[in-house]
Amino acid sequence: KNAQGKLAEFLSAVDAIPTETQLTKFTTFDKGSGLCRLKKSNKTRLEAVSPKFEEQVRKAFGSEGYGATLQKVGWHVHVWDDKYFKVLDV
């Protein structure tokens, strides 16, 4: 709730959209595997990335990257565990 100006307007507009609508627009569910994936299309404006870039993103969200910053947020934050947290889709 600290955003101001255009960002605050954008976030309010997104918040007004029902969650189910957003999930339907941006994700698909594979009944065979039980996995959700991001829809990459002109409608969602999400694009596929190269395997090399995907690897970089996944590494950045590991215990030595993003997970390490959480300990600086506050003492209530649990220790990052790469076995528990993972990037589901890029």
Side-chain angles (χ1 to χ4, degrees):
K1 304 282 180 184
N2 293 328
Q4 299 175 2
K6 295 281 186 189
L7 178 58
E9 292 171 16
F10 170 75
L11 293 174
S12 292
V14 169
D15 192 41
I17 301 170
T19 302
E20 186 175 314
T21 301
Q22 294 180 39
L23 286 173
T24 302
K25 178 179 179 181
F26 291 102
T27 62
T28 61
F29 180 72
D30 182 348
K31 292 180 182 178
S33 67
L35 297 175
C36 278
R37 295 283 181 210
L38 295 172
K39 287 182 187 176
K40 292 154 181 127
S41 68
N42 288 336
K43 184 177 179 182
T44 63
R45 295 192 290 180
L46 300 175
E47 298 179 9
V49 297
S50 69
K52 182 178 179 181
F53 184 73
E54 181 175 347
E55 181 182 335
Q56 290 172 330
V57 170
R58 290 181 184 280
K59 185 176 179 184
F61 276 88
S63 60
E64 298 300 317
Y66 177 74
T69 66
L70 293 178
Q71 296 302 305
K72 297 173 178 70
V73 173
W75 62 276
H76 288 288
V77 178
H78 296 284
V79 174
W80 186 274
D81 183 349
D82 286 336
K83 293 176 188 169
Y84 180 76
F85 295 102
K86 65 180 180 178
V87 176
L88 299 177
D89 197 7
V90 177

